[in-house]
Amino acid sequence: MGAPDKPQSLRLYESYQQARISDLTYPQFLNILNLYPSILVCMSDGILDKEEHEHLMGVAKNLAIYADEVTDQSLLEITYQKELMYLLENPEIWEQKFLLALKDHLSGPEGDKEFVLESMYLFANAANGISDVERNRIESISDQLGLAF
């Protein structure tokens, strides 16, 4: 019975793979997990602005740069784009699961609290500065994840 020893992020990855059947590896999925709060901030006002969309697609492109030789960079970029948009459009399915797994992930030595927090502010600032709604969402997510701001 080794399942309870699995990190929540790995259990979430397995559950996500059953629902989505994507080509993401577990380390690639962790990139999305770390960015998930930023997706929530983008949608805190209920609208994905053009600048926010462009920023999200740019992040997908940047993540794909780290593809190994075996992986086609352009295919990985498209995969990241599809998965980020899917998560953006389906918070009711994934929000709590992602935030719980991320809180657990951030409590470990490999967790990157600073990256998660900075990313939320960068995404919020992508379209005409940080609104009160976005700032409140960042503070709420930060409290939930145990991040300092």
Side-chain angles (χ1 to χ4, degrees):
M1 301 212 72
D5 296 328
K6 284 185 188 178
Q8 281 187 318
S9 57
L10 181 56
R11 291 196 304 263
L12 176 63
Y13 170 70
E14 291 169 349
S15 169
Y16 187 82
Q17 286 294 85
Q18 288 178 343
R20 288 287 295 163
I21 310 172
S22 77
D23 292 330
L24 291 174
T25 65
Y26 178 59
Q28 292 164 345
F29 180 79
L30 289 178
N31 291 332
I32 289 179
L33 180 65
N34 282 325
L35 285 170
Y36 190 75
S38 300
I39 293 170
L40 297 176
V41 170
C42 279
M43 290 306 293
S44 59
D45 60 1
I47 300 166
L48 182 67
D49 302 305
K50 180 183 177 206
E51 295 86 359
E52 290 169 332
H53 181 268
E54 288 173 0
H55 189 71
L56 196 61
M57 295 304 104
V59 166
K61 183 180 188 86
N62 288 338
L63 288 174
I65 289 171
Y66 299 105
D68 58 13
E69 298 87 44
V70 179
T71 307
D72 184 349
Q73 189 173 328
S74 60
L75 288 178
L76 182 57
E77 179 182 345
I78 291 167
T79 299
Y80 273 126
Q81 288 174 347
K82 283 196 295 192
E83 298 312 314
L84 289 169
M85 291 305 294
Y86 167 76
L87 289 169
L88 191 108
E89 294 165 358
N90 293 283
E92 69 285 351
I93 299 171
W94 298 105
E95 182 173 341
Q96 288 310 308
K97 294 173 186 175
F98 266 73
L99 291 177
L100 285 171
L102 183 57
K103 183 176 183 176
D104 180 65
H105 177 70
L106 292 175
S107 70
E110 73 285 349
D112 195 349
K113 292 181 178 184
E114 188 176 331
F115 172 81
V116 172
L117 188 59
E118 287 179 7
S119 294
M120 285 192 287
Y121 279 102
L122 286 171
F123 272 77
N125 204 27
N128 305 321
I130 301 172
S131 70
D132 289 340
V133 173
E134 290 168 329
R135 188 174 314 284
N136 290 338
R137 187 68 165 139
I138 290 170
E139 290 175 8
S140 171
I141 292 169
S142 295
D143 285 346
Q144 201 172 349
L145 297 176
L147 303 175
F149 55 91

